[in-house]
Amino acid sequence: MEGGNSPNLQLQQLPLATAAVSVQPHTDSFSYKENLIGALLAIFGHLVISIALNLQKYSHIRLAGSKDLRAYFKTKTWWCGLFLLMLGELGVFSSYAFAPLSLIVPLSAVSVIASAIIGIIFIKEKWKPKDFLSCGLAIVGTYLLITFGPNSHEKMTGENITRHLVSWPFLLYMLVEIIIFCLLLYFYKEKNVNYIVVILLLVALLGSMTAVTVKAVAGMIVVSIQGNLQLDYPIFYIMLVCMIATAIFQATFLAQASQLYDSSQIASIGYILSTTVAITAGATFYLDFTGEDVLHICMFALGCLIAFLGVFLITRNRKKSVPFEPYISMDAMPGMQNMHDKGIAVQPDLKASFSYGALENNDTMPEIYTPATLPIVQEQHGSKGVSAPPYRVLEHSKKE
């Protein structure tokens, strides 16, 4: 009996062993090719986005420094930047269909690196020598991310996405994320806790859902183009609506953060938080690190840390922009350093356009608030041996 059943047992075990080999991600060389295509698309997209944003910035700077009264959206430079921006976003969107989510998301560091380099070359922004070290760290981190990134691939069909959506790891992850999001939103709206970490963590939680839905939508579109139509599945439209909704709310919180904090802080802290949360979401939903060995995971984590450090150092020394003041401070004028010694107020007249140090004169004001009388003695600069008396402030005596 045992000898007669052994051939049957061997025949039954053979397909199982073959199936087990076929699901291993590293046995298929085409998966590495897909990783490379996705990484190149993401890098290309972020480079084009950086060029587009700097073109639009250059358009604003050129209009501000000229007598051209046209609006910025009527210039060819701004429209060229908008076209490149859409092209770059299309490239990043397409990259999600080829490479794992955990590999594509950290590559947004390329945008920070490119913006810094383009700002030096074209907009003549000042850079210190140590900033090149920061840029080098970000490049090394990006290289490690591409080399040791996850290599798990599966077709983004409606059945696969639905199966991932109802899996217990993702449901547990969603429960934890919803609880954290509600707590942060409560403290931000009700308790007025508007720390930058709180706002950007809200952005990161929304951004992780945006990344998950973008990969699903992009993957189903690519599979449909290849001949297996996926657009008739309801899950496609559910993911599309979630993608648009989370992107809109994400942009809303980013706009609120930009009104409170400097853009360099938002760029560095937002990149670190968004990348960390998105990688966690990708590992939970798409099981990106399934089948990866410990060495690849550790090297990928090291690449993330180096990229985080590089982006943080690049944006750390960016100075906050000083708002333009349409007048010259009276305290900064020669010979007027002691104007406020006795509490006499000198106000710039902002009613007129671009007035410089004008004194406010209003006959209806009480006499104590009228401007000081300044007898002006013209100094003869360049003459030797002649000393000019200093300016004097004659105070008005208050009438009882």
Side-chain angles (χ1 to χ4, degrees), residues 121-136:
I121 297 175
F122 295 101
I123 309 182
K124 306 301 180 182
E125 293 181 351
K126 294 182 179 179
W127 238 34
K128 298 179 181 179
K130 63 181 180 180
D131 292 334
F132 289 95
L133 175 62
S134 307
C135 190

Side-chain angles (χ1 to χ4, degrees), residues 139-316:
I139 294 175
V140 170
T142 303
Y143 172 77
L144 292 177
L145 290 172
I146 297 175
T147 305
F148 297 98
N151 197 34
S152 60
H153 294 273
E154 66 174 344
K155 288 188 176 182
M156 292 290 101
T157 60
E159 293 87 354
N160 290 337
I161 295 175
T162 304
R163 177 168 50 85
H164 288 306
L165 190 62
V166 297
S167 62
W168 70 265
F170 181 70
L171 293 177
L172 181 60
Y173 171 81
M174 280 297 300
L175 178 62
V176 175
E177 181 169 315
I178 290 174
I179 293 174
I180 296 176
F181 183 84
C182 292
L183 288 175
L184 291 174
L185 189 63
Y186 171 76
F187 284 108
Y188 176 59
K189 294 294 185 180
E190 300 296 332
K191 301 297 183 180
N192 198 24
V193 180
N194 55 358
Y195 298 115
I196 186 171
V197 176
V198 174
I199 303 176
L200 294 183
L201 193 54
L202 290 170
V203 174
L205 293 174
L206 290 171
S208 65
M209 290 298 100
T210 304
V212 168
T213 54
V214 164
K215 180 171 178 60
V217 172
M220 294 180 75
I221 291 176
V222 170
V223 172
S224 299
I225 294 174
Q226 292 175 352
N228 187 6
L229 185 62
Q230 300 294 318
L231 303 184
D232 54 350
Y233 285 90
I235 191 64
F236 173 79
Y237 299 97
I238 294 174
M239 289 292 183
L240 181 62
V241 172
C242 291
M243 179 186 72
I244 297 173
T246 53
I248 292 174
F249 285 109
Q250 187 181 356
T252 302
F253 284 114
L254 277 176
Q256 295 175 5
S258 63
Q259 295 177 357
L260 300 174
Y261 299 98
D262 188 37
S263 59
S264 61
Q265 294 179 332
I266 297 174
S268 60
I269 300 176
Y271 170 73
I272 295 172
L273 294 177
S274 297
T275 302
T276 304
V277 178
I279 290 176
T280 305
T284 306
F285 188 87
Y286 294 108
L287 305 177
D288 285 345
F289 295 95
T290 301
E292 298 290 336
D293 52 29
V294 178
L295 177 62
H296 276 75
I297 295 176
C298 291
M299 293 302 294
F300 180 80
L302 178 63
C304 288
L305 293 177
I306 295 177
F308 291 165
L309 180 61
V311 171
F312 175 76
L313 293 177
I314 288 174
T315 58
R316 183 186 63 175

Side-chain angles (χ1 to χ4, degrees), residues 32-50 84-100 103-105 107-108 110-111 142 146 218-219 222 226:
Y32 291 101
K33 183 179 179 181
E34 287 184 330
N35 268 19
L36 183 60
I37 292 174
L40 291 177
L41 282 174
I43 292 174
F44 168 78
H46 288 300
L47 284 175
V48 174
I49 288 173
S50 301
L84 292 177
L85 181 63
M86 296 174 63
L87 181 62
E89 292 291 349
L90 180 61
V92 176
F93 178 81
S94 303
S95 66
Y96 281 92
F98 295 95
L103 173 61
I104 297 300
V105 171
L107 293 181
S108 58
V110 176
S111 181
T142 303
I146 297 175
V222 170
Q226 292 175 352

